Amino acid sequence: MNKTARMIPTLIAALLTVLTLAGCDNDDIDQAYDLNGYWQGSIDGNYYYDRYGSNESWDTEIWFVQDGDFSNGGYGREIDYARYSNYSYAVEFDWEVSNGRIYIDYYDGYHIVIRDYELYSRGNSQHFRGYFDDWDTGETLASFDLIKVGNWSDWAMRYTKKRDSLSAAPQAVPAALEKPSER
């Protein structure tokens, strides 16, 4: 009995440790779930100059696709539009939320870390703002403020309504947004 009584505090401490560590993972998964969707807005700073060598004003669209309901990351696509020269640049990426930061690994070799970000609501819209840092140097490249303009479920419903009723079953994601390894 005495040995069992001494083991109880150790078991409680172990259980609390497991629950604490599981809580961190849940935060990352919850944040990844909230990112899942289609965002539009602007990025201010040296980000575009660093990427494209241009000081022109740009607008951006970022699509985050969560790789499963209980995943802390996934894949996506960013499209940047130059406001005055009509130039656009699209690149796909993999992303992951880890310890309150978002790591984006672009397929063109560019890498950023999103830090000090917040997902918040204003009126009926969701917003996402924070800072882009260079993955390698930690240098702050830009601040951003994006508005969520759609969820994947919203897109799937619109796609289903638009397709011809005699066509084959709808795809879950358009070809442009399929996971790159599935193409």
Side-chain angles (χ1 to χ4, degrees), residues 52-170:
Y52 312 131
S54 170
N55 284 328
E56 186 168 357
S57 297
W58 297 74
D59 292 318
T60 194
E61 298 176 357
I62 300 178
W63 303 332
F64 289 97
V65 181
Q66 189 180 14
D67 202 10
D69 290 340
F70 300 102
S71 171
N72 66 330
Y75 55 96
R77 187 172 202 195
E78 178 178 328
I79 303 175
D80 299 311
Y81 300 96
R83 290 183 188 152
Y84 304 111
S85 66
N86 294 325
Y87 177 77
S88 66
Y89 183 77
V91 63
E92 294 175 348
F93 58 85
D94 291 321
W95 62 277
E96 177 183 17
V97 179
S98 180
N99 297 319
R101 291 182 178 229
I102 302 166
Y103 296 87
I104 298 182
D105 184 9
Y106 291 96
Y107 292 0
D108 65 358
Y110 200 73
H111 312 286
I112 62 166
V113 177
I114 298 176
R115 67 163 170 88
D116 296 337
Y117 65 90
E118 65 177 324
L119 297 159
Y120 64 99
S121 296
R122 181 178 294 154
N124 291 332
S125 60
Q126 291 179 297
H127 292 252
F128 174 37
R129 67 178 169 200
Y131 299 93
F132 284 180
D133 289 347
D134 184 281
W135 182 311
D136 298 318
T137 66
E139 174 189 357
T140 299
L141 299 173
S143 63
F144 66 91
D145 191 5
L146 307 174
I147 297 172
K148 192 171 202 174
V149 294
N151 289 312
W152 294 119
S153 59
D154 296 340
W155 178 86
M157 289 185 335
R158 285 193 306 269
Y159 179 78
T160 302
K161 288 178 183 177
K162 287 182 181 179
R163 73 176 184 87
D164 181 0
S165 61
L166 299 176
S167 66

